[in-house]
Amino acid sequence: LVERESRDEGLQELSVLGVHVLPGASHVAVALGVPRGGELASWRAKLERARGWLRTEIARAIHRRRTPELVFELIEQSAE
């Protein structure tokens, strides 16, 4: 979703490393790989701007009354 459909080209550089539903299912932890050398604060700001869009897209894909909140974990990746 982030890699293919985001209009923010910066977010297209992210790779989803894992997704884990937290106890209670009201939050989902999303581990994202970010290119090494980038400002983590800048990535966090981009994700915050996209949070609403991401939750809307997730709500369309799942069949639950409430869409879980997203918790982002950023992991720097080496360029290989």
Coordinates of all heavy atoms in Angstrom, one line a residue:
L1 N 0.8 -1.2 0.0 CA 0.0 0.0 0.0 C 0.9 1.3 0.0 O 0.7 2.1 -0.9 CB -0.9 0.0 1.2 CG -1.9 1.1 1.4 CD1 -2.9 1.2 0.2 CD2 -2.6 1.0 2.7
V2 N 1.8 1.3 1.0 CA 2.6 2.5 1.1 C 3.6 2.6 -0.1 O 3.7 3.6 -0.7 CB 3.5 2.5 2.4 CG1 4.5 3.6 2.4 CG2 2.6 2.6 3.6
E3 N 4.1 1.4 -0.5 CA 5.1 1.4 -1.6 C 4.5 1.6 -2.9 O 5.1 2.2 -3.8 CB 5.8 0.0 -1.6 CG 6.6 -0.2 -0.3 CD 6.9 -1.7 -0.1 OE1 6.0 -2.6 -0.5 OE2 7.9 -2.0 0.5
R4 N 3.2 1.2 -3.1 CA 2.6 1.3 -4.5 C 1.6 2.4 -4.7 O 1.6 3.0 -5.7 CB 1.8 0.0 -4.7 CG 2.7 -1.2 -4.9 CD 1.9 -2.5 -5.3 NE 0.7 -2.6 -4.5 CZ 0.5 -3.3 -3.4 NH1 1.6 -3.9 -2.8 NH2 -0.6 -3.4 -2.8
E5 N 0.9 2.8 -3.6 CA -0.2 3.7 -3.8 C -0.1 5.1 -3.2 O -0.9 5.9 -3.5 CB -1.5 3.0 -3.3 CG -1.9 1.8 -4.1 CD -3.1 1.1 -3.6 OE1 -3.9 1.8 -3.0 OE2 -3.3 -0.1 -3.9
S6 N 1.0 5.3 -2.5 CA 1.1 6.6 -1.9 C 1.5 7.6 -2.9 O 2.3 7.4 -3.8 CB 2.2 6.6 -0.8 OG 2.5 7.8 -0.3
R7 N 0.9 8.8 -2.8 CA 1.3 9.9 -3.7 C 2.6 10.6 -3.2 O 3.2 11.3 -4.0 CB 0.1 11.0 -3.7 CG -1.1 10.4 -4.4 CD -2.1 11.5 -4.5 NE -3.4 10.9 -4.5 CZ -4.5 11.3 -3.9 NH1 -4.5 12.4 -3.2 NH2 -5.6 10.6 -4.0
D8 N 3.0 10.4 -2.0 CA 4.2 10.9 -1.5 C 5.4 10.0 -1.9 O 5.5 8.9 -1.4 CB 4.1 11.0 0.1 CG 5.3 11.7 0.7 OD1 6.5 11.6 0.1 OD2 5.2 12.3 1.7
E9 N 6.2 10.5 -2.8 CA 7.3 9.7 -3.4 C 8.2 9.3 -2.3 O 8.8 8.2 -2.3 CB 8.0 10.5 -4.4 CG 7.2 10.6 -5.7 CD 8.0 11.4 -6.8 OE1 9.2 11.5 -6.7 OE2 7.3 11.8 -7.7
G10 N 8.4 10.1 -1.2 CA 9.3 9.7 -0.1 C 8.8 8.5 0.6 O 9.6 7.6 1.0
L11 N 7.5 8.4 0.8 CA 6.9 7.2 1.4 C 7.1 5.9 0.5 O 7.2 4.8 1.1 CB 5.4 7.4 1.7 CG 5.1 8.4 2.9 CD1 3.6 8.4 3.1 CD2 5.8 8.0 4.2
Q12 N 7.2 6.1 -0.7 CA 7.4 5.0 -1.6 C 8.8 4.3 -1.4 O 9.0 3.2 -1.8 CB 7.2 5.4 -3.1 CG 5.8 5.7 -3.4 CD 5.5 6.3 -4.8 OE1 6.5 6.4 -5.6 NE2 4.3 6.6 -5.1
E13 N 9.7 5.0 -0.7 CA 11.0 4.5 -0.4 C 11.0 3.5 0.8 O 11.9 2.8 1.0 CB 12.0 5.6 -0.2 CG 12.3 6.5 -1.4 CD 13.2 7.6 -1.0 OE1 14.3 7.3 -0.4 OE2 13.0 8.7 -1.4
L14 N 9.9 3.6 1.5 CA 9.8 2.7 2.7 C 9.4 1.3 2.3 O 8.8 1.0 1.3 CB 8.7 3.2 3.6 CG 8.8 4.6 4.2 CD1 7.6 5.0 4.9 CD2 10.0 4.7 5.0
S15 N 9.9 0.3 3.1 CA 9.5 -1.1 2.9 C 8.8 -1.6 4.2 O 9.3 -1.3 5.3 CB 10.6 -1.9 2.5 OG 11.7 -1.8 3.4
V16 N 7.8 -2.3 4.0 CA 7.1 -2.9 5.2 C 7.8 -4.1 5.6 O 7.9 -5.1 4.8 CB 5.6 -3.1 4.9 CG1 4.9 -3.8 6.1 CG2 4.9 -1.9 4.5
L17 N 8.3 -4.1 6.8 CA 9.1 -5.3 7.3 C 8.2 -6.2 8.1 O 8.5 -7.4 8.2 CB 10.2 -4.8 8.2 CG 11.2 -3.9 7.5 CD1 12.3 -3.4 8.5 CD2 11.8 -4.5 6.3
G18 N 7.1 -5.7 8.7 CA 6.2 -6.6 9.5 C 5.1 -5.8 10.0 O 5.1 -4.6 10.2
V19 N 4.0 -6.5 10.3 CA 2.8 -5.9 10.9 C 2.4 -6.9 12.0 O 2.3 -8.1 11.9 CB 1.7 -5.8 9.9 CG1 0.4 -5.3 10.5 CG2 2.1 -4.9 8.7
H20 N 2.1 -6.3 13.2 CA 1.7 -7.1 14.4 C 0.5 -6.4 15.1 O 0.6 -5.3 15.4 CB 2.9 -7.2 15.3 CG 2.6 -7.9 16.5 ND1 2.5 -9.3 16.5 CD2 2.4 -7.6 17.8 CE1 2.3 -9.7 17.8 NE2 2.2 -8.7 18.6
V21 N -0.6 -7.2 15.2 CA -1.8 -6.7 15.9 C -1.5 -6.8 17.4 O -1.1 -7.8 17.9 CB -3.0 -7.5 15.6 CG1 -4.2 -7.0 16.4 CG2 -3.3 -7.5 14.1
L22 N -1.6 -5.7 18.1 CA -1.3 -5.6 19.5 C -2.5 -6.1 20.3 O -3.6 -6.1 19.8 CB -1.0 -4.2 19.9 CG 0.3 -3.6 19.2 CD1 0.5 -2.1 19.5 CD2 1.5 -4.4 19.6
P23 N -2.3 -6.6 21.6 CA -3.4 -7.1 22.4 C -4.6 -6.1 22.4 O -4.4 -4.9 22.5 CB -2.7 -7.2 23.8 CG -1.3 -7.5 23.5 CD -1.0 -6.6 22.3
G24 N -5.8 -6.7 22.3 CA -7.0 -5.9 22.3 C -7.4 -5.5 20.8 O -8.5 -5.1 20.6
A25 N -6.5 -5.6 19.9 CA -6.7 -5.4 18.5 C -7.1 -3.9 18.2 O -7.6 -3.6 17.1 CB -7.8 -6.3 17.9
S26 N -6.9 -3.0 19.1 CA -7.2 -1.6 18.8 C -6.0 -0.9 18.2 O -6.1 0.3 17.8 CB -7.7 -0.9 20.1 OG -6.7 -0.9 21.0
H27 N -4.8 -1.5 18.3 CA -3.6 -0.9 17.7 C -2.9 -1.9 16.9 O -2.9 -3.1 17.2 CB -2.7 -0.4 18.8 CG -3.2 0.8 19.5 ND1 -4.1 0.7 20.5 CD2 -2.8 2.1 19.4 CE1 -4.4 1.9 20.9 NE2 -3.6 2.8 20.3
V28 N -2.2 -1.5 15.8 CA -1.4 -2.3 15.0 C 0.0 -1.7 14.9 O 0.1 -0.5 14.6 CB -2.0 -2.5 13.6 CG1 -1.1 -3.2 12.6 CG2 -3.4 -3.1 13.6
A29 N 1.0 -2.5 15.2 CA 2.4 -2.1 15.1 C 2.9 -2.4 13.7 O 2.7 -3.5 13.2 CB 3.3 -2.7 16.1
V30 N 3.4 -1.4 13.0 CA 3.9 -1.5 11.7 C 5.4 -1.2 11.7 O 5.8 -0.1 12.0 CB 3.2 -0.6 10.7 CG1 3.7 -0.8 9.2 CG2 1.7 -0.8 10.8
A31 N 6.2 -2.2 11.3 CA 7.7 -2.0 11.2 C 8.0 -1.6 9.8 O 7.6 -2.4 8.9 CB 8.4 -3.3 11.6
L32 N 8.7 -0.5 9.6 CA 9.0 0.0 8.3 C 10.5 0.2 8.2 O 11.1 0.8 9.1 CB 8.3 1.4 8.1 CG 6.8 1.3 8.1 CD1 6.2 2.7 8.3 CD2 6.3 0.7 6.8
G33 N 11.0 -0.3 7.1 CA 12.4 -0.1 6.8 C 12.6 1.3 6.1 O 11.9 1.6 5.1
V34 N 13.5 2.1 6.6 CA 13.8 3.4 5.9 C 15.2 3.4 5.5 O 16.1 2.7 6.0 CB 13.6 4.6 6.9 CG1 12.1 4.6 7.4 CG2 14.5 4.5 8.1
P35 N 15.5 4.1 4.4 CA 16.9 4.1 3.9 C 17.8 4.7 4.9 O 17.5 5.7 5.6 CB 16.8 5.1 2.7 CG 15.4 5.1 2.3 CD 14.6 4.8 3.5
R36 N 19.0 4.1 5.1 CA 20.0 4.6 6.0 C 20.4 6.0 5.6 O 20.5 6.4 4.4 CB 21.2 3.7 6.0 CG 22.2 4.0 7.1 CD 23.3 3.0 7.3 NE 22.8 1.7 7.7 CZ 22.4 1.3 8.9 NH1 22.3 2.2 9.9 NH2 22.0 0.1 9.2
G37 N 20.7 6.8 6.6 CA 21.2 8.2 6.4 C 20.1 9.2 6.3 O 20.4 10.4 6.3
G38 N 18.8 8.8 6.3 CA 17.7 9.8 6.3 C 17.4 10.2 7.7 O 17.8 9.6 8.7
E39 N 16.8 11.3 7.9 CA 16.3 11.9 9.2 C 15.1 11.1 9.6 O 14.1 11.1 9.0 CB 16.0 13.3 9.1 CG 17.1 14.3 9.1 CD 17.7 14.4 10.5 OE1 16.9 14.4 11.5 OE2 18.9 14.5 10.6
L40 N 15.2 10.4 10.7 CA 14.1 9.6 11.2 C 12.9 10.6 11.6 O 11.7 10.2 11.3 CB 14.4 8.8 12.4 CG 15.3 7.6 12.1 CD1 15.6 6.8 13.4 CD2 14.8 6.7 11.1
A41 N 13.2 11.8 12.1 CA 12.1 12.7 12.4 C 11.4 13.1 11.1 O 10.1 13.3 11.1 CB 12.7 14.0 13.1
S42 N 12.1 13.2 10.0 CA 11.4 13.5 8.7 C 10.5 12.4 8.3 O 9.4 12.7 7.8 CB 12.5 13.8 7.7 OG 11.9 14.0 6.4
W43 N 11.0 11.2 8.4 CA 10.1 10.0 8.1 C 8.9 10.0 9.0 O 7.8 9.7 8.5 CB 10.9 8.7 8.2 CG 11.9 8.5 7.1 CD1 13.3 8.6 7.3 CD2 11.7 8.3 5.8 NE1 13.9 8.4 6.1 CE2 13.0 8.2 5.1 CE3 10.6 8.2 5.0 CZ2 13.2 8.0 3.8 CZ3 10.8 8.0 3.6 CH2 12.0 7.9 3.0
R44 N 9.1 10.2 10.2 CA 7.9 10.2 11.2 C 6.9 11.3 10.8 O 5.7 11.1 10.8 CB 8.4 10.4 12.6 CG 9.1 9.2 13.2 CD 9.4 9.4 14.7 NE 10.4 8.4 15.1 CZ 10.2 7.1 15.2 NH1 9.0 6.6 14.9 NH2 11.2 6.4 15.7
A45 N 7.4 12.5 10.4 CA 6.5 13.6 10.0 C 5.7 13.2 8.7 O 4.5 13.4 8.6 CB 7.3 14.8 9.7
K46 N 6.4 12.5 7.8 CA 5.7 12.1 6.6 C 4.6 11.0 6.9 O 3.5 11.1 6.3 CB 6.7 11.5 5.6 CG 7.6 12.5 4.9 CD 8.5 11.9 4.0 CE 9.5 12.9 3.4 NZ 10.3 12.3 2.3
L47 N 4.9 10.1 7.8 CA 4.0 9.1 8.2 C 2.8 9.7 8.9 O 1.6 9.3 8.7 CB 4.6 8.0 9.0 CG 5.5 7.1 8.2 CD1 6.4 6.3 9.2 CD2 4.7 6.2 7.4
E48 N 3.0 10.7 9.7 CA 1.9 11.4 10.5 C 1.0 12.1 9.5 O -0.2 12.0 9.6 CB 2.5 12.4 11.5 CG 3.0 11.8 12.7 CD 2.0 10.9 13.4 OE1 0.8 11.4 13.6 OE2 2.3 9.8 13.9
R49 N 1.6 12.7 8.4 CA 0.7 13.3 7.4 C -0.1 12.3 6.7 O -1.2 12.6 6.2 CB 1.6 14.1 6.4 CG 2.1 15.4 7.0 CD 2.7 16.3 6.0 NE 3.8 15.7 5.2 CZ 5.1 15.8 5.6 NH1 5.5 16.4 6.6 NH2 6.0 15.2 4.8
A50 N 0.4 11.1 6.5 CA -0.3 10.1 5.7 C -1.1 9.2 6.6 O -1.9 8.3 6.1 CB 0.8 9.2 5.0
R51 N -1.1 9.4 7.9 CA -1.8 8.5 8.8 C -3.3 8.3 8.5 O -3.8 7.2 8.4 CB -1.7 8.9 10.3 CG -2.3 8.0 11.3 CD -2.1 8.5 12.7 NE -0.7 8.6 13.1 CZ -0.1 7.6 13.6 NH1 -0.7 6.4 13.8 NH2 1.2 7.7 14.0
G52 N -4.0 9.4 8.3 CA -5.4 9.3 7.9 C -5.7 8.6 6.7 O -6.6 7.7 6.6
W53 N -4.9 8.8 5.6 CA -5.1 8.1 4.4 C -4.8 6.6 4.6 O -5.6 5.8 4.1 CB -4.1 8.7 3.3 CG -4.1 7.9 2.1 CD1 -5.0 7.8 1.1 CD2 -3.0 7.0 1.7 NE1 -4.6 6.9 0.1 CE2 -3.4 6.4 0.5 CE3 -1.8 6.6 2.3 CZ2 -2.6 5.5 -0.2 CZ3 -1.0 5.7 1.6 CH2 -1.4 5.1 0.4
L54 N -3.8 6.3 5.3 CA -3.5 4.9 5.6 C -4.6 4.2 6.3 O -5.0 3.1 5.9 CB -2.1 4.8 6.4 CG -0.9 5.1 5.6 CD1 0.3 5.3 6.6 CD2 -0.6 4.1 4.5
R55 N -5.1 4.8 7.3 CA -6.2 4.2 8.1 C -7.5 4.0 7.2 O -8.2 3.0 7.3 CB -6.6 5.0 9.3 CG -5.5 4.9 10.4 CD -5.9 5.4 11.7 NE -6.9 4.6 12.3 CZ -7.9 5.0 13.0 NH1 -8.1 6.3 13.2 NH2 -8.8 4.2 13.5
T56 N -7.7 5.0 6.3 CA -8.9 4.9 5.4 C -8.7 3.7 4.5 O -9.7 2.9 4.3 CB -9.0 6.2 4.6 OG1 -9.3 7.3 5.5 CG2 -10.2 6.1 3.6
E57 N -7.5 3.5 4.0 CA -7.3 2.4 3.1 C -7.4 1.1 3.8 O -7.9 0.1 3.3 CB -5.9 2.6 2.4 CG -5.8 3.7 1.4 CD -6.8 3.6 0.3 OE1 -6.9 2.5 -0.3 OE2 -7.4 4.6 0.0
I58 N -6.9 1.0 5.0 CA -7.0 -0.2 5.8 C -8.5 -0.5 6.1 O -8.9 -1.6 6.1 CB -6.2 -0.1 7.1 CG1 -4.7 -0.1 6.8 CG2 -6.5 -1.2 8.1 CD1 -3.8 0.3 7.9
A59 N -9.2 0.5 6.5 CA -10.7 0.4 6.8 C -11.4 -0.2 5.6 O -12.3 -1.0 5.7 CB -11.3 1.7 7.2
R60 N -11.0 0.1 4.4 CA -11.6 -0.4 3.2 C -11.3 -1.9 3.0 O -12.0 -2.6 2.4 CB -11.2 0.4 1.9 CG -11.7 1.7 1.8 CD -11.3 2.4 0.6 NE -11.7 3.8 0.6 CZ -11.2 4.7 -0.1 NH1 -10.2 4.5 -0.9 NH2 -11.7 6.0 -0.1
A61 N -10.1 -2.3 3.5 CA -9.6 -3.7 3.3 C -10.1 -4.6 4.3 O -10.1 -5.9 4.1 CB -8.1 -3.7 3.2
I62 N -10.4 -4.2 5.5 CA -10.8 -5.1 6.6 C -12.3 -4.9 6.9 O -12.9 -3.9 6.6 CB -9.9 -4.9 7.9 CG1 -10.2 -3.5 8.5 CG2 -8.5 -5.1 7.5 CD1 -9.5 -3.3 9.8
H63 N -12.9 -5.9 7.5 CA -14.3 -5.8 7.9 C -14.4 -5.8 9.4 O -14.7 -6.8 10.0 CB -15.0 -7.0 7.3 CG -14.9 -7.0 5.8 ND1 -15.5 -6.2 4.9 CD2 -14.1 -7.8 5.0 CE1 -15.2 -6.4 3.7 NE2 -14.3 -7.4 3.7
R64 N -14.2 -4.6 10.0 CA -14.3 -4.4 11.4 C -15.1 -3.1 11.6 O -15.0 -2.2 10.8 CB -12.9 -4.3 12.1 CG -12.2 -5.6 12.0 CD -11.0 -5.6 12.8 NE -11.3 -5.2 14.2 CZ -10.5 -4.8 15.1 NH1 -9.2 -4.7 14.8 NH2 -10.9 -4.4 16.3
R65 N -15.7 -3.0 12.8 CA -16.4 -1.8 13.1 C -15.5 -0.6 13.3 O -15.7 0.5 12.9 CB -17.2 -2.0 14.4 CG -18.1 -0.8 14.7 CD -19.0 -1.1 15.8 NE -20.0 -2.0 15.3 CZ -21.1 -2.4 15.9 NH1 -21.3 -1.9 17.1 NH2 -21.9 -3.2 15.4
R66 N -14.3 -0.9 13.9 CA -13.4 0.2 14.2 C -12.0 -0.2 13.6 O -11.5 -1.3 13.7 CB -13.2 0.4 15.7 CG -14.4 0.8 16.4 CD -14.3 0.9 17.9 NE -13.3 1.9 18.3 CZ -13.6 3.2 18.6 NH1 -14.8 3.6 18.5 NH2 -12.6 4.0 18.9
T67 N -11.4 0.8 12.9 CA -10.1 0.6 12.3 C -9.1 0.8 13.4 O -9.1 1.8 14.1 CB -9.9 1.6 11.2 OG1 -11.0 1.5 10.2 CG2 -8.6 1.4 10.5
P68 N -8.1 -0.1 13.5 CA -7.1 0.1 14.6 C -6.2 1.3 14.3 O -6.0 1.7 13.2 CB -6.3 -1.2 14.5 CG -6.6 -1.8 13.2 CD -7.9 -1.3 12.7
E69 N -5.7 1.8 15.4 CA -4.7 2.9 15.3 C -3.4 2.3 14.9 O -3.1 1.1 15.2 CB -4.5 3.6 16.7 CG -5.7 4.4 17.2 CD -5.9 5.6 16.4 OE1 -4.9 6.2 15.9 OE2 -7.1 6.0 16.2
L70 N -2.6 3.1 14.2 CA -1.3 2.6 13.7 C -0.2 3.1 14.5 O -0.1 4.3 14.9 CB -1.1 3.1 12.2 CG -2.2 2.7 11.2 CD1 -1.9 3.3 9.9 CD2 -2.3 1.2 11.1
V71 N 0.7 2.2 14.9 CA 1.9 2.5 15.6 C 3.1 2.2 14.7 O 3.3 1.0 14.3 CB 2.0 1.7 17.0 CG1 3.3 2.1 17.7 CG2 0.8 2.0 17.8
F72 N 3.9 3.2 14.4 CA 5.0 3.0 13.4 C 6.3 2.8 14.2 O 6.7 3.5 15.1 CB 5.2 4.2 12.5 CG 3.9 4.5 11.7 CD1 3.2 5.6 11.9 CD2 3.5 3.6 10.7 CE1 2.1 5.9 11.1 CE2 2.4 3.8 10.0 CZ 1.7 5.0 10.2
E73 N 7.1 1.8 13.7 CA 8.4 1.5 14.2 C 9.3 1.7 13.0 O 9.2 1.0 12.0 CB 8.6 0.1 14.8 CG 10.0 -0.2 15.2 CD 10.2 -1.6 15.7 OE1 9.2 -2.4 15.6 OE2 11.3 -2.0 16.0
L74 N 10.3 2.6 13.0 CA 11.2 2.8 11.9 C 12.5 2.1 12.1 O 13.1 2.3 13.2 CB 11.4 4.3 11.7 CG 10.1 5.1 11.4 CD1 10.4 6.6 11.2 CD2 9.3 4.6 10.3
I75 N 13.0 1.4 11.1 CA 14.2 0.6 11.2 C 15.1 1.0 10.0 O 14.7 0.9 8.9 CB 14.0 -0.9 11.2 CG1 13.1 -1.2 12.4 CG2 15.3 -1.7 11.2 CD1 12.5 -2.6 12.3
E76 N 16.3 1.6 10.3 CA 17.2 2.0 9.2 C 17.7 0.7 8.5 O 18.1 -0.2 9.2 CB 18.3 2.8 9.8 CG 18.0 4.2 10.0 CD 19.2 5.1 10.3 OE1 20.1 4.6 11.0 OE2 19.2 6.2 9.8
Q77 N 17.7 0.8 7.2 CA 18.2 -0.4 6.4 C 19.4 0.1 5.6 O 19.5 1.2 5.1 CB 17.2 -0.9 5.5 CG 16.0 -1.5 6.2 CD 15.0 -2.1 5.1 OE1 14.6 -1.4 4.2 NE2 14.8 -3.4 5.3
S78 N 20.4 -0.8 5.5 CA 21.5 -0.5 4.7 C 21.2 -0.7 3.2 O 20.3 -1.5 2.9 CB 22.7 -1.4 5.0 OG 22.3 -2.8 4.8
A79 N 21.8 0.1 2.4 CA 21.6 0.0 0.9 C 22.3 -1.2 0.4 O 23.5 -1.3 0.5 CB 22.0 1.3 0.2
E80 N 21.5 -2.2 -0.1 CA 22.1 -3.4 -0.7 C 21.6 -3.7 -2.1 O 20.5 -3.4 -2.4 CB 21.9 -4.6 0.2 CG 22.6 -4.4 1.6 CD 22.3 -5.6 2.5 OE1 22.1 -6.7 1.9 OE2 22.4 -5.4 3.7

